[in-house]
Amino acid sequence: MFISVEGIEGCGKSTLVNGLGQHLHERNIDYVITKEPGSTSIGKILRSILLDKKQQISPLTELLLMFSDRLDHLDKVIKPSLEEGKIVITDRYIDSTYAYQGAGRGISKSIIDNLVSQTEIMLPDRTILLDLSPEVGLKRASTRNELDRFESENIDFHERLRKSFLDAAGDNPDRFITVDAEQEPDKILQLVINKLF
Ligand code: TYD
């Protein structure tokens, strides 16, 4: 089973992903926790470029760098792990591209759709969307560490991301599980476990 976890900055993805890992570990179920961008050696280099506030990156360059990361991630981590029968949980995947590079940076959905179909990337079986208002999310994110190139964008940018994620969930009701991310972490974890397994 291939699961992605999505949402705006500060929505609690890492906490949920760790909780899911713990749950699977306790049940002796083989799993892999991974993330985008930056889960392979090529991906780590791409991630450092993508998150660096000093870099000027055009929207299309950013899109293609994200896709390069994803293709390498699929080849080296996601597909081999699924073939070994493991559950794969990725912290961000394709819906982040529609949100950040699409709704955020203004690249048309059809360009991203074309890339998805031309590269034949696989879609997750299930996607968990942790939905949260950007005011709350950015406040949480800013207490963690210095804001990166995406976190430093203005509130409108983050509002567009939220809407894009919610639209994707509305368009794909069989794939998405949408959760109110203002709830207690334990409650969120339990809710998601009940829906997933
Ligand atoms: P990260 O520090 O992992 O952020 P977070 O904890 O919010 O997931 O940085 C990943 C950043 O990359 C995040 O701001 C979202 C962005 N991103 C895109 O813009 N497009 C994408 O396709 C993906 C996968 C991530």
Side-chain angles (χ1 to χ4, degrees), residues 21-32:
Q22 184 65 27
H23 174 83
L24 295 171
H25 174 75
E26 282 160 11
R27 276 153 195 78
N28 281 322
I29 299 171
D30 268 353
Y31 68 95
V32 169

Side-chain angles (χ1 to χ4, degrees), residues 5-11 13-14 35-37 47 50-51 62-63 66-67 69-70 91-101 105 141 144-145 148-151 157-158 161:
V5 181
E6 299 276 12
I8 63 161
E9 314 293 335
C11 67
K13 288 183 286 90
S14 324
K35 69 170 185 178
E36 290 192 358
R47 178 187 171 89
L50 281 159
L51 266 56
E62 188 177 282
L63 173 70
M66 287 294 178
F67 257 82
D69 171 77
R70 180 158 305 130
D91 182 338
R92 296 199 181 281
Y93 192 65
I94 185 63
D95 301 292
S96 280
T97 306
Y98 283 105
Y100 283 78
Q101 282 65 54
R105 303 291 193 214
R144 286 196 304 229
N145 42 30
D148 64 33
R149 212 168 59 80
F150 295 101
E151 290 163 340
F157 180 88
H158 296 279
L161 305 184

